[in-house]
Amino acid sequence: MPERIAIFGGAGNMGRRTEAEARKQGHQIQIVDPRAEIQVDPEEAIAWATVLYFSLFAKDLIPVLDQYGRSIRLDQIVLENTSTKNPIINTLKGLDEMGISVCSVHPFAKHDQPPGGQKVVILPIGTNFNKAQIFAQEFYGNMGMIIIRHSIEDHDALMVPEQLPWHTANRAHLLTFIRLGYRFSQLWNLAPANTELGLASTARTGIQNPTISATIIFNYLKTAEGQAWKATYPRSLEEIFKAAEKGEETLAALLAQTNEYLKEDGMDQQMNEATTIILESNANLRLHSLTVHSLDNKPGVLAAIATIFAENGINLNAVGNRPPDGGVDIRFGIDKGTDEASINQAVIALRELGFEVIERHKEK
């Protein structure tokens, strides 16, 4: 059933993504955000909406709910998507005590990343959460996201090992590169396979809004788990440096603990397979690729394009797709032995079918 959704913070990155996904599902939208082109009065938006979705940092959400919380009706649904929950638990429970159906969510997907196959944590609030939880499950389920359920009280403690180390270490790596005068492009161009994965993870964090990392680091360090990590991580680094001073054999003996750790539950094999797939696909796409844009994102598009390649004797070794705003971009890795005449014929055939070849890349 289509809802009327007022998105507070809808002009931000995640707010815009939420708006786009909601419109795809047929919901009506109003954006409440001082950055928006069209200004909507918050009180009027609340009166109009059936669902209130807050896409705000915790420090901004609390004053907004303090100011407008009393205007929220008992028949409305409230969702919010902050990445840290401890600062807002009492505020959300206050809405629940008023009889409002509230559910907190934490989507594990960057705003410009297709949500399908990504994870979202759904965290019910209080005792009136049922209606909000059902809507949240349908909303994110329709995006193809993997739904994980947890209690909001446990959220920040669970997220400490999932997010705190990477936001802290990746930002520290970048600061160290800056201090030592390394250009990131030079590091990337030279990177061996393992380093390529590490640099990609580092950059993935670094290109995000720094407030996201600051919020995660600042709030998670307030937890007991965050304090334990803060005390233990420097000790682990110091262990490595001290072992290195004693010699390679001593250092290798210490690092062997990490190999044994990854063998638990067969994670060493699983991670080796997962990272090899990523590296092999990226390498093939980097060597020789063709990116095709389709106005339609529907069953049969990939098959139609692949048929053209097959008819022209082109062997594909990698495929990656990315839905932009409208349609879909599909990048195909092409076998290095493919002759240019076959590719040119395929490009002509693709254009005749209404597809657009938007990028053609070959490593020199």
Side-chain angles (χ1 to χ4, degrees), residues 57-68:
F57 291 110
K59 62 182 177 63
D60 301 318
L61 174 62
I62 294 172
V64 168
L65 288 179
D66 285 346
Q67 182 173 358
Y68 299 109

Side-chain angles (χ1 to χ4, degrees), residues 248-267:
E248 287 186 33
E249 291 185 4
T250 303
L251 179 58
L254 171 66
L255 299 182
Q257 297 176 34
T258 64
N259 293 72
E260 293 303 314
Y261 171 72
L262 286 173
K263 290 179 181 178
E264 296 177 8
D265 303 317
M267 291 307 298

Side-chain angles (χ1 to χ4, degrees), residues 73-356:
R73 303 187 308 272
L74 296 182
D75 64 334
Q76 291 176 309
I77 288 170
V78 172
L79 300 181
E80 70 78 32
N81 67 2
T82 56
S83 55
T84 57
K85 305 302 183 183
N86 283 353
I88 62 168
I89 289 176
N90 289 338
T91 300
L92 297 182
K93 286 185 174 180
L95 294 178
D96 172 73
E97 290 168 2
M98 292 165 55
I100 298 166
S101 188
V102 185
C103 195
S104 181
V105 299
H106 187 177
F108 294 162
K110 195 165 166 282
H111 69 277
D112 57 355
Q113 177 181 358
Q118 305 303 320
K119 300 169 186 174
V120 58
V121 182
I122 293 181
L123 310 131
I125 306 297
T127 59
N128 299 295
F129 61 81
N130 191 54
K131 186 166 66 169
Q133 179 175 264
I134 290 172
F135 175 79
Q137 290 174 171
E138 290 179 353
F139 183 63
Y140 288 101
N142 288 339
M143 296 183 203
M145 299 190 77
I146 298 169
I147 294 173
I148 301 170
R149 296 172 187 83
H150 273 296
S151 74
I152 194 167
E153 288 81 5
D154 294 336
H155 174 273
D156 285 11
L158 290 169
M159 288 298 104
V160 165
E162 300 286 355
Q163 291 195 298
L164 179 59
W166 318 115
H167 279 269
T168 306
N170 286 343
R171 295 288 183 178
H173 290 156
L174 291 169
L175 288 172
T176 304
F177 294 156
I178 293 168
R179 306 288 185 263
L180 295 176
Y182 297 143
R183 292 186 67 84
F184 198 88
S185 58
Q186 293 174 335
L187 297 172
W188 178 254
N189 290 336
L190 185 60
N194 287 349
T195 306
E196 189 171 297
L197 287 172
L199 288 175
S201 173
T202 297
R204 187 76 176 169
T205 301
I207 61 181
Q208 290 183 330
N209 184 338
T211 304
I212 295 173
S213 290
T215 298
I216 286 170
I217 295 168
F218 177 78
N219 285 288
Y220 288 174
L221 282 177
K222 290 182 177 180
T223 66
E225 293 78 9
Q227 285 297 305
W229 181 84
K230 178 183 175 183
T232 306
Y233 184 67
R235 288 205 298 268
S236 299
L237 287 175
E238 189 63 25
E239 268 191 283
I240 291 173
F241 296 146
K242 286 184 176 179
E245 292 173 359
K246 295 177 181 179
E248 287 186 33
E249 291 185 4
T250 303
L251 179 58
L254 171 66
L255 299 182
Q257 297 176 34
T258 64
N259 293 72
E260 293 303 314
Y261 171 72
L262 286 173
K263 290 179 181 178
E264 296 177 8
D265 303 317
M267 291 307 298
D268 55 342
Q269 295 180 16
Q270 186 175 331
M271 289 298 98
N272 185 63
E273 181 180 348
T275 54
T276 298
I277 290 171
I278 294 169
L279 289 167
E280 184 177 5
S281 177
N282 287 347
N284 287 330
L285 292 171
R286 183 166 55 228
L287 285 173
H288 196 181
S289 66
L290 205 68
T291 303
V292 180
H293 176 74
S294 169
L295 293 174
D296 297 316
N297 185 7
K298 62 183 183 181
V301 168
L302 180 59
I305 298 172
T307 298
I308 296 296
F309 287 125
E311 289 173 348
N312 287 276
I314 298 173
N315 186 42
L316 304 176
N317 53 28
V319 179
N321 72 285
R322 180 181 178 82
D325 291 333
V328 62
D329 294 339
I330 309 176
R331 189 178 179 191
F332 297 91
I334 298 174
D335 189 86
K336 63 180 181 180
T338 306
D339 64 90
E340 288 298 314
S342 296
I343 297 174
N344 291 336
Q345 284 299 118
V347 169
I348 292 170
L350 287 167
R351 287 173 176 161
E352 288 176 350
L353 288 179
F355 298 111
E356 181 184 359

